[in-house]
Amino acid sequence: MTHRYGIFTGGIDIPDEKQATLDEPIRAVSEIEVLRVPLAPCGGAAAEAVVEPGQSVRAGERLARAGQDGVDVFAPLAGQVRDVVSVVTAIGRQLMRMPAIELTELSGCREIPDGEETFDWIHADAEELRRRIDESHLVTQRRRPLPLTRWVQRAHRAACEVFVVNAVESQPYITADHRLLVEHGEEVMRGVSILARAVGARRCILAVDQRRTRDYDPLLAPAEYYEVEHAALPPKYPIGSDHILLKVLTRREVPCGGNTLDIGAAVIDPASCFAAYHWVARGRRLGGRLVTISGEHVTRPANLFVPFGTDARSLLPTSPPPYVMGGPMVGTLCEGDAVTGPAVNALLAIDPTPTGSASQCIRCGWCRDHCPTRLNVAVLNDLYELSRVESAELLGALSCVECGVCSYVCPARLPLTRRVRELKRAIRRLRHTPAPRREGEPHHHPETT
Amino acid sequence: MPATPETTSRQYAQPVVNAAEAPLIRAPEKIQSVYTVTTIAACLPMAAGWLYFGYHAILVSLLSVASCVAIEWGYFRVTHSPALLGRAHAYLTGVLLALTLPPFTPWYVVILAAAFAILVGKAVFGGVGHFLWQPALVGRFAVAVILPVLAQLTPAGSDQKQVTLTPTHWPVLSRDHLLLGDLDNVAQDRLVAYRGWRSRQASPGTEGFAMQHPAETLAPLSRGEEPAYSALAHPRQDLPNSKPAALTLLPPIGDLLFGARPGGIGETCAAMILVAGIYLVYRNYVKWQLPLAFLASAAVVAAVAPVQLAGPNQTVEWMWFPVFAEGLDVGFTYVCYQVLSGALLLSAFFLATEMTSSPVTTGGQVIFGVAGGWIAMGLQLYFETAIPAYLAVLAMNTLTPTIDAIWLPRVFGQKHFEWLRIPFRGKPTKE
Ligand code: SF4
Ligand code: SF4
């Protein structure tokens, strides 16, 4: 039986809109002709291409080699290299422009590959698993991806106790992790087990939406076998935010401006566990991930297994851009030529609410009432307008989890989330403390002129 | 960043500027809808006022709304100030101002109040979202202060009618002249004989009756030279010249609930105010904590604060805890009368809850409500003022920035009692 947990203060109930894709089986993409594989999947420095234009590559062949702080990039499908181009993809909550390798004349299997296990991961010890993950060049498939090996090493070094798999998906429309758990749940569980052992966590929790527990019943046996606890959580946005999730699960709060490792917890998503399993046990890199294609303008909503580097237009051929990349609450708006990457778990064709011009704050207090971190956003907005960064720090602005709730509820349509984020950035600059390279934090941007 | 040849030759991911940012969906509520819905809710008690006070009240209300909107429009035309933001709040101010004015207010007083409300209450501060005091109350307060001064200036003996917003006897229409009756044509009633609004007809040739304001009837219980009553409910038999009991002189409680009593246009009908207030709470435009704290604190003060009663041999007895003095039933009725006889309900649900001039946090709103109710009931009991509840709200409005600055609930991830340290800490300590 899954354990039921409490809830946090604040938060909102947003229309969930998941019905369209909730029960649709995963499909493979068919219509794509060209891939533009981004060379900096985690942001920061781009890997350097090791292939020549005109060269043919097999699926899984190395396309680019990174320095010590990035990951190498591999071909998702077999094809022919055309050129190095520049593309746009979403990392974190912004769009990033980066170099990419264009592949044409694609061939090869576009489905999630099957295969025998070639590595005895069950009896491998943690050191061996970590070494194997180190060779993987995988990235965590979160909003702000991070090389998986770095993520594992950091969690291992922090001696974290709890390993949480965040499969809550509290944003509207998105069902990619849900379908992954339903159709490939056992593989995900093995991936969880691999990563938890590599990290050295004592306790392992899979957090899911309590409305969907029935769909996960087949997972109960493998979960018990691999010693993964289930946590069924009530649907309330933003319970999918790591800090809030940990508060609900462990009753501990991430300190102001800190990260989840500070309270001994490592949080990851099912898609990364799935990819880790495929690499560690089967020796294969998944060159793609599940992407939810949905929205009111989509004729056939689905969850597609999409190779990295597919452009948005070919995934949503019947609806005009702009599209929402990565969920309506934390994603960004993109044009048709933006490509998918590890961070893109949804591509939605929805109409963004027209906001018009923002008017002034009327101090209704709704932003504060609904902020999951209990920040007084109305006051932070004043401080932003007055550029009083120090006061903002005293009021705890660094606690913000950038969930977007305050902007969502504000009747004056003020861009509060962006303002709080800019305050946070200003505070960090003021303190001369570079943003901690935390799980989920983007690389600090080198000031290249 | 050291510029080694290796790093300079590498390419970096660059953020795309001006990309639309999350969240891309927004809640449907806008400022305009907030003010429009509040205005419609405020029209409920106003409609009740129209019913009991007739066309005078209708004229006052329309004039108040029209002058508020016109003055705001004129100000906007002159200054091109962007911060006054649409007409929705001007309508709301006009309606709220009308609710607080007595139905017989002369037209120029209404316009004066509207001018103060818009110009001093709002425009001076920069419009919606910036004002310190609830604008309608600024207008109401201004005329309450100015009118007695004007009356003093009127030469004695001139045949001009004295203008006052606090007459000794206030008119109410009788049952057969609702809505269209004329308040100028009423009979003066003696309160002793008054047995409730529903059981009465207006005497021939008149359209209503004038009576004492219930708050004034209760006033000798706690202020004045000499106590006018010797008990709350039952005249004392043991005293040779027992004075009447306070509660026997008041209209039935039903009249106070449904609004057939003297008072401002929107102050009287408690039932309508409750319905509209609960609707606003349901829509989340009003947090229930503030009105509840306001009313509960006022009720507690009324239940505890001493009243003066006439004792034997011309002595004055100060009696604490009037709620227990003559049994709980009498005490409960007494507290209900105290709470319902003034403008407490209207203040609690419509005036204190103005978003801009009340604290942002829920805890701050509770502080605001408790202190406001305490001040309101204190003023009503012991100070001679016609607008105790409004003064209390204005006083608390003044304190709102302070409450917001000192009531800092713990933010996620902060240490406990961090907020205690904030006011005393100049700069955050470095790690
Ligand atoms: S929600 Fe918007 S209008 Fe309301 S208090 Fe917050 S910032 Fe001000
Ligand atoms: S301030 Fe930050 S945590 Fe609070 S609602 Fe806004 S985005 Fe979310």
Side-chain angles (χ1 to χ4, degrees):
Chain A
M1 217 25 238
T2 46
H3 187 282
R4 291 201 174 217
Y5 284 84
I7 196 65
F8 55 98
T9 58
I12 45 173
D13 295 315
I14 25 179
D16 129 318
E17 320 273 359
K18 296 192 195 227
Q19 302 320 326
T21 53
L22 209 51
D23 301 320
E24 286 282 314
I26 299 172
R27 289 193 282 125
V29 279
S30 47
E31 306 89 358
I32 49 171
E33 264 124 43
V34 56
L35 288 183
R36 296 188 197 88
V37 190
L39 292 186
C42 309
E48 291 190 51
V50 294
V51 290
E52 300 294 323
Q55 186 181 337
S56 294
V57 289
R58 283 169 287 116
E61 195 173 325
R62 182 176 270 113
L63 292 177
R65 196 182 288 279
Q68 68 277 49
D69 57 342
V71 288
D72 295 1
V73 178
F74 298 84
L77 297 175
Q80 199 176 27
V81 178
R82 194 194 276 166
D83 206 354
V84 176
V85 291
S86 161
V87 293
V88 162
T89 187
I91 288 183
R93 40 173 65 232
Q94 32 188 351
L95 287 181
M96 299 281 239
R97 182 166 284 283
M98 61 183 72
I101 285 181
E102 193 170 61
L103 292 179
T104 53
E105 294 171 33
L106 306 171
S107 57
C109 169
R110 293 170 189 196
E111 316 230 320
I112 297 178
D114 257 338
E116 289 298 304
E117 293 191 357
T118 56
F119 177 74
D120 183 15
W121 59 274
I122 295 188
H123 299 107
D125 67 355
E127 192 59 41
E128 212 173 335
L129 287 176
R130 276 198 294 278
R131 216 167 27 243
R132 203 160 160 80
I133 290 168
D134 197 22
E135 296 158 4
S136 71
H137 293 280
L138 291 173
V139 299
T140 60
Q141 304 187 356
R142 319 219 54 195
R143 273 201 293 131
R144 288 166 181 164
L146 203 70
L148 187 64
T149 166
R150 176 120 46 86
W151 185 86
V152 168
Q153 279 164 5
R154 190 117 43 80
H156 175 59
R157 230 177 299 129
C160 75
E161 273 174 47
V162 194
F163 182 94
V164 178
V165 185
N166 182 350
V168 182
E169 286 188 317
S170 53
Q171 281 195 82
Y173 295 104
I174 305 179
T175 55
D177 286 346
H178 166 72
R179 285 315 300 176
L180 188 68
L181 280 181
V182 170
E183 294 185 31
H184 297 274
E186 180 143 10
E187 284 128 294
V188 173
M189 284 301 154
R190 291 180 193 164
V192 172
S193 170
I194 290 171
L195 287 181
R197 258 197 294 148
V199 162
R202 279 198 274 122
R203 199 175 154 208
C204 204
I205 305 175
L206 172 71
V208 298
D209 188 330
Q210 72 180 23
R211 293 169 299 175
R212 321 239 186 280
T213 43
R214 187 150 299 184
D215 300 335
Y216 304 140
D217 278 348
L219 277 183
L220 289 178
E224 195 170 335
Y225 183 73
Y226 297 116
E227 295 181 345
V228 179
E229 292 168 40
H230 269 218
L233 299 168
K236 177 165 150 191
Y237 188 81
I239 196 155
S241 160
D242 291 352
H243 295 199
I244 309 298
L245 181 69
L246 287 177
K247 163 79 180 169
V248 172
L249 289 179
T250 69
R251 306 258 125 227
R252 274 186 266 173
E253 294 185 352
V254 175
C256 222
N259 62 43
T260 60
L261 295 180
D262 293 344
I263 56 167
V267 187
I268 203 162
D269 59 319
S272 307
C273 300
F274 188 58
Y277 167 73
H278 269 262
W279 167 252
V280 173
R282 298 183 179 169
R284 239 182 222 279
R285 289 187 186 89
L286 286 183
R289 64 159 297 153
L290 276 192
V291 178
T292 302
I293 308 291
S294 185
E296 57 232 26
H297 302 311
V298 175
T299 41
R300 201 173 160 204
N303 279 297
L304 302 183
F305 182 73
V306 180
F308 298 141
T310 313
D311 53 324
R313 196 178 289 115
S314 57
L315 290 174
L316 292 155
T318 54
S319 40
Y323 311 119
V324 174
M325 199 171 235
M329 291 304 282
V330 299
T332 56
L333 215 54
C334 70
E335 288 302 321
D337 57 356
V339 298
T340 64
V344 179
N345 57 353
L347 260 176
L348 309 172
I350 52 176
D351 292 326
T353 315
T355 51
S357 62
S359 42
Q360 69 272 33
C361 168
I362 56 165
R363 312 199 81 76
C364 60
W366 297 348
C367 49
R368 203 223 87 97
D369 293 345
H370 294 103
C371 174
T373 58
R374 303 186 291 268
L375 279 169
N376 195 335
V377 195
V379 173
L380 290 181
N381 178 52
D382 294 347
L383 297 177
Y384 171 87
E385 286 172 359
L386 301 169
S387 306
R388 283 172 55 191
V389 177
E390 298 214 336
S391 315
E393 182 178 10
L394 281 174
L395 292 182
L398 286 179
S399 290
C400 167
V401 296
E402 303 185 11
C403 59
V405 165
C406 46
S407 294
Y408 178 86
V409 297
C410 178
R413 298 283 157 87
L414 287 162
L416 298 172
T417 308
R418 200 186 73 219
R419 291 184 173 181
V420 177
R421 197 171 66 247
E422 283 175 17
L423 276 178
K424 284 168 66 177
R425 206 177 292 161
I427 293 168
R428 293 228 160 94
R429 216 175 292 141
L430 194 72
R431 296 277 150 254
H432 300 295
T433 47
R437 287 287 190 79
R438 69 180 193 200
E439 194 268 310
E441 193 71 24
H443 293 242
H444 229 50
H445 220 59
E447 262 102 39
T448 41
T449 45
Chain B
M1 180 78 23
T4 59
E6 205 231 343
T7 49
T8 44
S9 69
R10 290 175 76 183
Q11 283 184 300
Y12 290 90
Q14 302 286 352
V16 177
V17 287
N18 291 337
E21 290 219 13
L24 297 154
I25 48 173
R26 301 292 182 103
E29 314 267 17
K30 284 194 211 164
I31 289 185
Q32 270 75 9
S33 59
V34 173
Y35 287 146
T36 312
V37 169
T38 315
T39 311
I40 293 170
C43 285
L44 276 182
M46 187 161 80
W50 290 2
L51 207 61
Y52 291 117
F53 302 122
Y55 81 90
H56 279 266
I58 301 181
L59 289 184
V60 167
S61 315
L62 295 184
L63 183 62
S64 159
V65 174
S67 42
C68 276
V69 174
I71 293 169
E72 175 149 335
W73 178 81
Y75 184 85
F76 186 75
R77 286 302 297 262
V78 172
T79 62
H80 297 283
S81 150
L84 285 167
L85 192 107
R87 300 291 95 84
H89 194 261
Y91 282 103
L92 178 61
T93 308
V95 171
L96 289 183
L97 178 64
L99 294 187
T100 64
L101 286 171
F104 44 79
T105 316
W107 61 268
Y108 53 89
V109 176
V110 178
I111 294 179
L112 192 70
F116 268 99
I118 296 295
L119 296 179
V120 180
K122 241 168 103 181
V124 163
F125 291 96
V128 178
H130 299 302
F131 47 78
L132 178 60
W133 297 295
Q134 148 63 263
L137 287 187
V138 172
R140 180 68 179 87
F141 177 69
V143 293
V145 171
I146 289 172
L147 272 194
V149 179
L150 277 186
Q152 298 255 307
L153 293 180
T154 320
S158 72
D159 54 351
Q160 270 182 322
K161 221 171 85 182
Q162 282 265 316
V163 179
T164 173
L165 298 185
T166 51
T168 44
H169 285 85
W170 298 56
V172 179
L173 293 180
S174 80
R175 264 192 304 160
D176 38 357
H177 292 93
L178 284 180
L179 194 62
L180 291 177
D182 185 357
L183 282 186
D184 288 338
N185 185 16
V186 297
Q188 303 279 325
D189 271 66
R190 285 182 53 240
L191 210 71
V192 186
Y194 183 67
R195 276 286 156 268
W197 179 77
R198 273 188 307 154
S199 58
R200 289 186 56 102
Q201 299 280 327
S203 27
T206 63
E207 300 182 355
F209 27 85
M211 51 183 157
Q212 206 179 11
H213 197 291
E216 282 307 306
T217 315
L218 284 170
L221 270 177
S222 45
R223 59 180 133 95
E225 296 294 293
E226 211 176 292
Y229 308 114
S230 61
L232 283 185
H234 314 290
R236 286 165 64 170
Q237 305 302 327
D238 53 330
L239 292 185
N241 41 9
S242 167
K243 297 189 171 167
L247 299 187
T248 54
L249 298 182
L250 281 162
I253 198 90
D255 285 7
L256 264 61
L257 269 179
F258 293 107
R261 61 129 170 130
I265 293 174
E267 289 167 4
T268 62
C269 186
M272 277 298 188
I273 296 173
L274 277 175
V275 169
I278 287 170
Y279 177 66
L280 287 181
V281 169
Y282 162 73
R283 290 290 297 256
N284 221 350
Y285 294 164
V286 163
K287 285 180 210 149
W288 57 268
Q289 286 93 339
L290 200 166
L292 192 73
F294 195 94
L295 294 176
S297 130
V300 167
V301 172
V304 170
V307 295
Q308 58 174 356
L309 297 174
N313 307 330
Q314 313 286 319
T315 53
V316 179
E317 287 176 357
W318 282 94
M319 185 175 70
W320 284 82
F321 295 100
V323 70
F324 300 125
E326 289 173 37
L328 268 180
D329 50 345
V330 173
F332 179 74
T333 317
Y334 165 74
V335 171
C336 283
Y337 271 122
Q338 284 288 16
V339 169
L340 291 176
S341 66
L344 273 170
L345 271 175
L346 183 72
S347 307
F349 280 103
F350 282 99
L351 301 166
T353 55
E354 165 74 45
M355 286 166 170
T356 309
S357 52
S358 63
V360 174
T361 54
T362 310
Q365 294 207 350
V366 171
I367 298 176
F368 182 100
V370 168
W374 192 82
I375 298 176
M377 190 48 83
L379 287 177
Q380 179 172 327
L381 287 177
Y382 301 111
F383 292 85
E384 191 154 346
T385 161
I387 48 171
Y390 302 155
L391 287 182
V393 172
L394 284 173
M396 289 319 292
N397 284 167
T398 319
L399 291 180
T400 294
T402 319
I403 296 176
D404 265 340
I406 58 175
W407 181 258
L408 302 167
R410 191 178 67 88
V411 169
F412 187 95
Q414 260 180 350
K415 296 193 201 76
H416 284 276
F417 302 107
E418 183 79 4
W419 57 274
L420 270 181
R421 259 173 280 150
I422 288 177
F424 307 108
R425 224 166 60 164
K427 281 184 179 173
T429 47
K430 281 193 186 150
E431 279 142 30

